[in-house]
Amino acid sequence: MIAKIESNRNNHLKPNYKRYLLNGLCSVLIVVVLSLLTNNLSLKIIIPQIIIFSIAALSLNIVCGCLGEMVLGHGGFMLVGGIVASYVSQKIYQLVMEKNNFSSSQMREIFYNIGNGEVHFAGYILVIFAVIVGAIFTGVIGFLIGVAVLGRMKGDYLAIITLGIGLVFVSIANNLQTIDGFKYGVDGPSYYTRIAGNTPIFASFLILTLICFIMIFKSRYGRAILSIREDEIASEASGIPVKKYKIFTFTLSAIFAGLAGGLYYHFASYLGTSLFSQDRSIELLVFIVLGGLGSFTGTLISTALLTFVSYKLLLNAPGGYQLLIYGVILIIVMLIRPEGLFGTKELTWDFIKKVFKIKKKPKKIVEEEIIHDNK
Amino acid sequence: MITNDVVLVVKDLSIEFGGLKAVTNFNMEIFRKELVGLIGPNGAGKTTIFNLITGIYQPTSGKIQLDGEDITHVVTHKRVKKGIARTFQNIRLFKQMTVLENVKVAYHNNMTYGIFASIFRTKKYWVEENKAHQKALEILEVLGLLEYKDELAQNLPYGKQRKLEIARALASNPKLLCLDEPAAGMNPHETEELMETIKIIQDKFQVTILLIEHDMKFVMGICDRIYVLNFGELIAKGTPKEIQTNKEVIKAYLGE
Ligand SMILES: Nc1ncnc2c1ncn2[C@@H]1O[C@H](COP(=O)(O)OP(=O)(O)O)[C@@H](O)[C@H]1O
Ligand SMILES: [Mg+2]
């Protein structure tokens, strides 16, 4: 008895600063490596997309994988975030220009030089601000939809409603064309507020997303959300306010989908609604199903893999075959390994240590895998 | 043992499912630190009464009071906060979570840290998480599940899963613990062990217990008082001795 109690005491939870430092260093390393890789012209297009779709797929995974509700219109939330972010950055750009009577070439010196792709400090700040506003706005939309729908619907019904919501967003964006006189990127922008292939910004947002999700899911919030996936009735009977946490997860998911959309706009200066239609929503689902519903690291690896492959395919194969490939992948995964590459497991340091039976060797990490995959 | 300190009062409770009267005018009083049994043939409405007490069903008529407060229309998770916890007849664990996590989930309402505390891992996060951790380990130890703490719940043998259900219910710090057939599917040895455990739990966690059970030896051996239900109606109540000799009860169990 005494021995047991003592072992309990040794089991005291405390912050693992060494691990934090290690993760921090790795994050910096990843950003640096990705940025260096981005010098290559084709990787310059692929890597930011991998990062953006990773954020989108992770945000889908917290609803589909962790909460256990299927969402079929996630692309629609990306579109909302993209539109709002594009509006905000263009509007501020225009206001700065008009207030100060700057010429276009002066603006280029302050913000972005589209000619040589240079981005100045003010340009970064503007994009970061716009993207965050877009994310928050999408979060509000997600929250309102969640409040209206989540208490009443679940399972197939909820999936179909989210499908409808995605369609509605795409349709509105298609028909609106301008907000307040601005083209918001469906046919290209009114002003270029673009950071293109500036990988460090994109990568930093991905790392922030990961930190948020990992920390939240390793707390009482995460346990509550996972318990809802496992058994809603038992969760409620254990004192978890199920509806509140469903809305919370839905909102969190919308925020980061909106973030991904905003980043995409400022990467491409283009939000063609076909980019965020059902095809995109399905693509994101394929990413998370292949990676493992509920696995963040699995999502990162499968997103990198599939984005890379589909990019190469798009260049070499006639358009339209992409979805065929995804369909086939989905069928094969379901037949061979329905839980996906990782299931609900994560690729963690402890896991890596176990696999390689190495005591201390801070070398491999998830996102480095992505780079390897890219080669 | 019996004091005037009433924990739960159920008054004229009835529920219908599309014309079927599952429970009719059911009355019950449970005193603090009592161990009350609820028995009756299959389909008598016992689980339905648990679902009414925990708020999973809303009664057609009648009232439920906890510590003098009317909770008839309070939602389930708020009743848990007020002190009612339960287990399920058909085990409902969080299968893909570890044993320890299963217990910690139910400790949720005893913690107050917010989203930002969890993202930034503030001191409050660590203090409360540690408290949850220690409490969960303590409960698992009492139920003899400590060595399984890192196993997935679905990998536990059946008898241990039943115990984990009890452990999880205890984590919410209940005043009233409702156990729905805790010994179902257990062998005689396990059942005997469970009787011991329930007594220890009641003592250690100062909890009032209401339990449904089919095993008569179990019920008669451990309960202070027993309520007998047949076709949704109360047909008898009293001490185990009174119940054993009650004609109505014998008739209900043996058939006419
Ligand atoms: N949700 C429900 N819908 C319809 N009938 C129900 C429902 N829940 C219970 N019943 C009925 O109520 C009666 C009592 O069931 P129950 O409380 O589970 O019995 P037991 O005493 O064996 O636990 C049964 O006839 C059952 O079919
Ligand atoms: Mg029952």
Side-chain angles (χ1 to χ4, degrees):
Chain A
M1 189 75 177
I2 289 166
K4 265 186 186 165
I5 288 170
E6 230 153 291
S7 77
N8 287 359
R9 279 209 200 102
N10 291 340
N11 236 319
H12 212 73
L13 304 171
K14 50 182 180 292
N16 187 342
Y17 292 113
K18 244 161 79 185
R19 195 53 70 77
Y20 293 168
L21 190 69
L22 193 62
N23 290 340
L25 286 176
C26 274
S27 307
V28 172
L29 189 74
I30 290 159
V31 175
V32 170
V33 171
L34 284 177
S35 309
L36 291 177
L37 276 176
T38 318
N39 284 332
N40 173 316
L41 192 62
S42 86
L43 289 181
K44 197 173 194 135
I45 298 172
I46 300 176
I47 288 179
Q49 291 200 53
I50 288 179
I51 294 172
I52 290 165
F53 293 135
S54 290
I55 295 174
L58 285 169
S59 70
L60 181 61
N61 207 347
I62 64 170
V63 175
C64 296
C66 301
L67 181 68
E69 290 288 3
M70 199 48 77
V71 168
L72 295 177
H74 208 58
F77 287 102
M78 290 182 76
L79 187 58
V80 172
I83 289 172
V84 173
S86 93
Y87 173 76
V88 169
S89 69
Q90 290 184 58
K91 184 81 189 174
I92 293 175
Y93 190 88
Q94 186 201 32
L95 285 177
V96 170
M97 195 152 121
E98 283 173 358
K99 277 263 159 59
N100 302 302
N101 267 326
F102 286 147
S103 70
S104 301
S105 63
Q106 274 173 310
M107 287 303 281
R108 262 182 236 130
E109 260 161 51
I110 302 168
F111 288 99
Y112 319 91
N113 191 336
I114 297 305
N116 60 15
E118 230 174 67
V119 182
H120 301 287
F121 183 70
Y124 285 120
I125 298 296
L126 180 55
V127 169
I128 291 170
F129 176 74
V131 157
I132 289 173
V133 172
I136 292 170
F137 186 91
T138 317
V140 172
I141 300 277
F143 173 78
L144 293 177
I145 291 173
V147 169
V149 170
L150 285 171
R152 268 168 265 175
M153 304 277 174
K154 58 183 177 185
D156 303 345
Y157 300 105
L158 181 64
I160 289 170
I161 284 185
T162 58
L163 180 78
I165 290 167
L167 292 173
V168 168
F169 286 157
V170 169
S171 170
I172 291 175
N174 249 335
N175 288 303
L176 226 54
Q177 295 295 334
T178 57
I179 299 175
D180 194 12
F182 286 110
K183 294 166 93 178
Y184 46 72
V186 171
D187 289 330
S190 300
Y191 299 96
Y192 278 95
T193 56
R194 162 170 205 208
I195 55 172
N198 271 281
T199 304
I201 297 285
F202 295 117
S204 306
F205 273 110
L206 175 60
I207 288 166
L208 274 178
T209 308
L210 274 172
I211 291 174
C212 274
F213 285 180
I214 291 171
M215 292 309 192
I216 288 174
F217 276 87
K218 281 186 154 188
S219 73
R220 69 187 185 118
Y221 295 94
R223 286 195 296 267
I225 293 165
L226 293 178
S227 78
I228 295 171
R229 171 187 77 191
E230 294 298 314
D231 192 319
E232 216 175 299
I233 291 175
S235 178
E236 179 86 21
S238 300
I240 306 297
V242 169
K243 188 182 168 192
K244 185 179 131 192
Y245 277 110
K246 281 187 173 178
I247 294 170
F248 169 74
T249 318
F250 210 71
T251 307
L252 193 67
S253 168
I255 289 174
F256 285 92
L259 175 70
L263 289 175
Y264 191 91
Y265 170 78
H266 289 100
F267 157 73
S269 295
Y270 178 63
L271 284 173
T273 44
S274 64
L275 283 173
F276 300 99
S277 65
Q278 288 318 302
D279 290 2
R280 174 69 67 212
S281 305
I282 301 293
E283 185 183 30
L284 292 172
L285 268 178
V286 174
F287 292 168
I288 63 172
V289 169
L290 177 67
L293 285 171
S295 170
F296 295 154
T297 44
T299 300
L300 292 175
I301 289 169
S302 70
T303 304
L305 207 74
L306 289 183
T307 307
F308 184 74
V309 168
S310 77
Y311 185 80
K312 288 287 171 198
L313 282 177
L314 269 182
L315 288 187
N316 302 320
Y321 276 94
Q322 197 182 356
L323 271 179
L324 175 85
I325 307 278
Y326 285 149
V328 172
I329 289 175
L330 207 52
I331 292 167
I332 293 174
V333 171
M334 281 299 143
L335 287 176
I336 297 177
R337 200 176 157 79
E339 73 273 31
L341 290 176
F342 281 75
T344 55
K345 302 233 165 51
E346 296 291 351
L347 183 59
T348 60
W349 293 113
D350 295 327
F351 179 81
I352 292 164
K353 266 193 215 162
K354 230 196 276 172
V355 170
F356 291 90
K357 293 233 167 73
I358 299 168
K359 270 276 146 62
K360 273 175 196 166
K361 198 175 175 202
K363 205 174 151 238
K364 288 225 162 180
I365 192 186
V366 189
E367 306 196 33
E368 281 190 84
E369 293 275 351
I370 297 173
I371 303 161
H372 294 316
D373 294 335
N374 284 345
K375 277 179 190 154
Chain B
M1 176 79 47
I2 311 273
T3 60
N4 282 329
D5 192 2
V6 186
V7 178
L8 187 84
V9 179
V10 172
K11 272 189 199 148
D12 296 326
L13 203 65
S14 302
I15 186 168
E16 290 177 24
F17 296 109
L20 173 89
K21 290 187 172 171
V23 175
T24 316
N25 288 334
F26 181 71
N27 285 286
M28 179 164 69
E29 276 186 337
I30 301 178
F31 299 93
R32 199 166 309 280
K33 288 204 66 194
E34 240 190 332
L35 211 167
V36 174
L38 181 58
I39 63 171
N42 258 327
K46 306 180 296 294
T47 300
T48 305
I49 287 176
F50 267 30
N51 285 336
L52 288 165
I53 291 173
T54 52
I56 290 172
Y57 295 158
Q58 272 295 312
T60 322
S61 64
K63 255 205 295 199
I64 303 166
Q65 287 178 345
L66 181 74
D67 274 340
E69 183 190 354
D70 187 349
I71 56 161
T72 317
H73 302 292
V74 174
V75 296
T76 302
H77 70 261
K78 285 195 182 140
R79 292 191 199 195
V80 179
K81 215 170 175 178
K82 289 181 190 294
I84 300 180
R86 74 172 289 181
T87 66
F88 293 90
Q89 180 179 353
N90 46 339
I91 299 174
R92 282 178 175 274
L93 290 172
F94 308 130
K95 290 193 188 121
Q96 300 258 15
M97 298 170 80
T98 66
V99 168
L100 190 62
E101 283 168 344
N102 265 270
V103 179
K104 281 186 185 175
V105 167
Y107 197 73
H108 184 273
N109 282 328
N110 297 319
M111 296 191 259
T112 55
Y113 69 79
I115 307 283
F116 290 97
S118 75
I119 292 176
F120 295 107
R121 295 281 157 99
T122 60
K123 202 173 158 208
K124 193 172 179 189
Y125 168 90
W126 288 108
V127 169
E128 291 190 356
E129 279 292 320
N130 261 310
K131 235 167 127 189
H133 194 66
Q134 301 306 330
K135 173 90 180 178
L137 293 177
E138 185 194 344
I139 293 170
L140 288 177
E141 191 173 350
V142 171
L143 283 148
L145 292 170
L146 196 55
E147 58 186 305
Y148 302 99
K149 70 181 168 67
D150 295 321
E151 287 284 337
L152 290 186
Q154 64 182 5
N155 295 340
L156 289 185
Y158 188 78
K160 307 271 183 219
Q161 292 198 6
R162 286 231 167 268
K163 285 192 167 175
L164 180 53
E165 281 248 333
I166 299 175
R168 183 179 65 189
L170 280 171
S172 65
N173 218 355
K175 294 175 196 158
L176 176 68
L177 179 61
C178 303
L179 306 174
D180 198 344
E181 305 201 13
M186 286 187 176
N187 62 37
H189 173 72
E190 285 175 318
T191 306
E192 211 149 291
E193 208 182 83
L194 183 67
M195 283 169 76
E196 291 293 310
T197 312
I198 288 179
K199 279 188 182 143
I200 294 171
I201 286 170
Q202 188 175 30
D203 215 47
K204 194 168 162 81
F205 298 97
Q206 298 286 310
V207 65
T208 308
I209 296 178
L210 171 64
L211 68 83
I212 297 173
E213 192 43 70
H214 275 302
D215 188 325
M216 279 305 140
K217 215 177 117 205
F218 187 104
V219 178
M220 296 299 166
I222 170 173
C223 293
D224 299 319
R225 286 191 305 130
I226 295 172
Y227 284 77
V228 189
L229 210 62
N230 198 18
F231 296 117
E233 289 186 55
L234 184 67
I235 57 169
K237 62 175 178 178
T239 61
K241 261 205 184 123
E242 289 164 3
I243 295 299
Q244 267 166 330
T245 54
N246 185 304
K247 285 212 179 79
E248 286 277 329
V249 177
I250 295 167
K251 215 159 69 181
Y253 269 89
L254 299 179
E256 279 167 277

